Amino acid sequence: RSKDEGGNKHHGYEPKLHMHAEERRIMEIALRKALANDEFTLNFQPIVRAEREEICGFEVLLRWHNPELGHVSPAKFIPLAEDARLIVPIGRWVLENACKEAMNWPVDTKLSVNVSAGQLSDPNFMTILIEALSSSGLPPQRLDIEVTESIFLHEGTMAIDVLDKILSLGVGLSLDDFGTGYSSLGYLRKTRFTNIKIDRSFVQGAARDVPESLAIVRAVVALADSLGMSTTAEGVEDEAEARRLTDLGCKKIQGYYYGRPMPADEASQLFTLQQRKSA
Ligand code: C2E
Ligand code: MG
Ligand code: MG
Ligand code: MG
């Protein structure tokens, strides 16, 4: 709130910025009531084991539909929820409901959940996480937490402690959107990530033979291999890209080619279809 009212940089004179602040204000008011009004749903996007082309899990992606605002993209409302400190209750809802849903899937599959810096710095985060696991019955080994490089900027050493606690439960830890952030390799030494998700920009560059992207994907895969981490290629949109990233040694593939984010019932049907095919 103080961000909008204080620092009178914008002052409301610049029409575009004024619109932007007004849009934000309206959206924040709606977001405060969204949980109570049942406006959130969960979508699930398949993650595929590269060499066998079979689904090994799903990433849960939050969706918000408000009667006045319509569908709002997470790219818009997640940063807003972070600023307004609403990410803690919203993130808790996601964790609890996604863990319950994953109990309907085969036991050798995993659930990936995105977690923001503001959740990791919440003193109750570990309690919330443990409670989500125990109340659903989901074994910790079936859960992966995805964080981006930005958490290291915001939270300093505190984030590293929480990451260690998450790992000590047996929960996996993925470094999301790798390559788009600050790309200091220091935190790969400080934290034992179990997986690196290579950002779509490098994935698509590598598939189009952009030399720099190719070099970066090769280097990241080699680094991950030698540190005992797996790699996921994000944003794979066609067969050629899937083949290319598999050949480059990525262990897992995710993207529209294998499936868009979909409602929970469609996600569990994919498992049934796959089991029938392999039977
Ligand atoms: P992310 O975790 O990197 O998720 C991947 C994003 O890429 C998703 O966007 C997904 O729909 C999109 N995507 C997947 N495959 C493809 C593809 O082949 N092509 C293209 N063009 N895009 C693809 P989405 O669902 O809009 O989510 C955006 C971001 O919002 C996520 O990025 C994540 O950072 C955040 N987010 C989503 N749900 C949650 C949540 O429950 N909690 C938190 N803290 N953040 C979330
Ligand atoms: Mg993610
Ligand atoms: Mg990502
Ligand atoms: Mg992202």
Side-chain angles (χ1 to χ4, degrees):
R1 188 53 51 95
S2 59
K3 254 188 214 158
D4 293 338
E5 287 158 4
N8 39 13
K9 251 185 307 181
H10 303 161
H11 233 83
Y13 295 132
E14 172 39 86
K16 255 190 191 159
L17 286 175
H18 181 71
M19 274 274 287
H20 184 67
E22 182 62 9
E23 188 194 359
R24 265 181 74 101
R25 202 183 60 84
I26 291 168
M27 205 174 273
E28 185 181 323
I29 291 168
L31 198 54
R32 287 197 184 282
K33 296 183 264 183
L35 261 186
N37 291 347
D38 241 353
E39 292 170 5
F40 290 119
T41 50
L42 299 179
N43 268 1
F44 297 86
Q45 185 179 33
I47 300 172
V48 168
R49 202 170 284 124
E51 84 281 13
R52 307 184 60 175
E53 286 196 294
E54 67 188 20
I55 300 168
C56 55
F58 283 87
E59 177 177 2
V60 60
L61 293 158
L62 185 58
R63 295 292 177 258
W64 180 30
H65 182 266
N66 174 271
E68 270 88 48
L69 302 171
H71 287 283
V72 185
S73 158
K76 266 192 173 176
F77 76 78
I78 293 286
L80 192 60
E82 287 167 348
D83 288 350
R85 294 298 285 163
L86 292 167
I87 196 66
V88 169
I90 294 172
R92 177 184 194 152
W93 183 88
V94 171
L95 255 177
E96 287 175 352
N97 287 282
C99 286
K100 269 185 216 147
E101 186 53 41
M103 289 297 286
N104 299 322
W105 306 342
V107 292
D108 58 346
T109 59
K110 289 184 99 172
L111 164 71
S112 297
V113 181
N114 295 288
V115 167
S116 297
Q119 294 173 262
L120 293 178
S121 60
D122 169 27
N124 292 320
F125 180 73
M126 288 309 293
T127 312
I128 290 169
L129 175 60
I130 291 165
E131 177 61 25
L133 290 168
S134 63
S135 69
S136 62
L138 189 74
Q141 290 71 22
R142 292 189 55 200
L143 180 64
D144 248 325
I145 296 287
E146 297 192 2
V147 299
T148 61
E149 296 163 293
S150 66
I151 60 158
F152 293 100
L153 273 199
H154 295 305
E155 310 302 327
T157 55
M158 214 178 125
I160 294 169
D161 290 347
V162 185
L163 299 180
D164 285 341
K165 286 183 190 148
I166 293 171
L167 285 168
S168 70
L169 291 179
V171 171
L173 202 56
S174 286
L175 189 50
D176 204 353
D177 301 346
F178 188 76
T180 58
Y182 312 92
S183 298
S184 147
L185 297 177
Y187 40 69
L188 284 181
R189 184 163 49 93
K190 288 190 195 116
T191 305
R192 307 287 312 161
F193 284 96
T194 51
N195 184 48
I196 295 178
K197 299 189 79 168
I198 304 172
D199 190 70
R200 181 175 140 238
S201 50
F202 300 105
V203 164
Q204 301 203 329
R208 286 181 200 123
D209 283 323
V210 178
E212 293 78 11
S213 296
L214 262 178
I216 288 169
V217 171
R218 284 203 180 98
V220 172
V221 170
L223 182 70
D225 281 350
S226 63
L227 291 171
M229 305 169 181
S230 61
T231 40
T232 306
E234 289 194 278
V236 170
E237 293 185 349
D238 59 43
E239 191 186 354
E241 288 178 8
R243 200 175 303 133
R244 194 66 203 266
L245 274 297
T246 303
D247 290 345
L248 285 167
C250 288
K251 300 289 181 294
K252 289 172 276 180
I253 311 269
Q254 181 178 3
Y256 294 169
Y257 176 58
Y258 287 113
R260 297 210 170 221
M262 61 188 84
D265 56 336
E266 284 177 36
S268 42
Q269 273 167 21
L270 276 190
F271 283 125
T272 317
L273 285 174
Q274 179 169 280
Q275 275 158 349
R276 258 188 233 142
K277 256 201 296 185
S278 64

